[in-house]
Amino acid sequence: MILPLVVDTYKSMPELIPVLSKKEIERSINDLASRISDDYQGRDLVLIGILKGAFIFMADLLRQLSVAAKVDLLRFSSYGAGTSSSGRIRLTKNLETDINGSDVLIVEDIVDTGLTLAYLIDYVKTFHPGSVKVCSLINKHENRKQEVTIDYYCHDIEEGFLVGYGLDYDEHYRNLPDIYHLKI
Ligand code: IMP
Ligand code: MG
């Protein structure tokens, strides 16, 4: 049982309402990792984590996989300091691995409008991988603007701005082991 927290580092005193506990997250990642391990046996798997939000999720997912996987990271900036998408996407860290012919699995923290994901699928495809699939910790439905296929995800969330387990609000709260709904 996790208790709601009130964090006093902001003047507005945002409230954190528990949404997913670290136990629930761990269980869903274990299930996801066994599905991915089954699907990628004997393949040339490359996980591409999307910084910064996905770094904790990717580290936990990777350690549960029973198949070999290479790892690389991409970073796009799309959000500013607020809680809604700016719609502007800029590449700020590129791939360092040759993914030509490889089976790429994009690892995202959360898909919200879908704009970032649609952009980055197209971007990854320009490197001619053998296949591209997407895995996200959270599939959030509230603000979807672009239809995107999320091949694997751990949790469906209808609405709200989430923080914790790598997810931030203005670079805060990434360290929380559980996931909370941030109410400002
Ligand atoms: P999209 O382009 O709107 O789908 O935005 C995707 C990115 O925005 C995610 O990869 C997150 O980094 C960030 N984001 C979207 N919703 C949330 C949220 O509820 N909490 C924290 N970050 C979020
Ligand atoms: Mg992100």
Side-chain angles (χ1 to χ4, degrees):
M1 168 74 181
I2 348 161
L3 297 172
L5 298 176
V6 174
V7 175
D8 62 7
T9 46
Y10 291 93
K11 287 191 187 106
S12 55
M13 299 273 279
E15 195 184 344
L16 297 176
I17 298 159
V19 175
L20 294 166
S21 71
K22 62 181 177 190
K23 275 277 157 221
E24 287 173 290
I25 299 168
E26 189 186 315
R27 267 198 299 271
S28 59
I29 292 177
N30 287 350
D31 292 348
L32 188 74
S34 32
R35 283 181 54 206
I36 293 172
S37 300
D38 286 347
D39 294 352
Y40 284 90
Q41 270 180 38
R43 311 267 296 275
D44 177 20
L45 176 60
V46 183
L47 301 184
I48 299 184
I50 310 304
L51 293 173
K52 299 178 195 172
F55 78 109
I56 293 178
F57 171 46
M58 184 156 91
D60 284 347
L61 177 68
L62 180 67
R63 281 176 291 184
Q64 296 304 322
L65 292 179
S66 58
V67 287
K70 293 178 195 158
V71 169
D72 207 339
L73 298 160
L74 270 179
R75 182 159 186 229
F76 293 85
S77 80
S78 66
Y79 271 50
T83 59
S84 64
S85 182
S86 67
R88 291 188 305 271
I89 295 165
R90 192 165 54 94
L91 178 76
T92 55
K93 192 233 163 274
N94 212 338
L95 293 175
E96 291 161 32
T97 308
D98 179 6
I99 58 166
N100 191 327
S102 298
D103 296 301
V104 165
L105 185 60
I106 294 173
V107 182
E108 256 288 29
D109 51 355
I110 178 165
V111 180
D112 185 20
T113 62
L115 295 173
T116 309
L117 187 56
Y119 179 91
L120 69 90
I121 290 171
D122 285 348
Y123 182 73
V124 165
K125 282 184 176 166
T126 64
F127 295 95
H128 308 293
S131 66
V132 182
K133 285 194 173 181
V134 174
C135 145
S136 183
L137 176 67
I138 292 167
N139 182 6
K140 188 166 81 174
H141 301 269
E142 184 183 16
N143 303 312
R144 193 61 48 89
K145 289 187 183 139
Q146 173 130 14
E147 269 319 306
V148 277
T149 303
I150 306 171
D151 303 279
Y152 306 93
Y153 60 88
C154 291
H155 299 280
D156 255 322
I157 301 283
E158 280 312 314
E159 58 182 9
F161 194 82
L162 304 176
V163 295
Y165 195 75
L167 295 165
D168 76 308
Y169 171 66
D170 199 12
E171 293 301 325
H172 293 271
Y173 307 113
R174 291 194 199 275
N175 57 307
L176 300 176
D178 310 286
I179 292 180
Y180 296 84
H181 178 187
L182 180 76
K183 285 208 149 175
I184 306 166

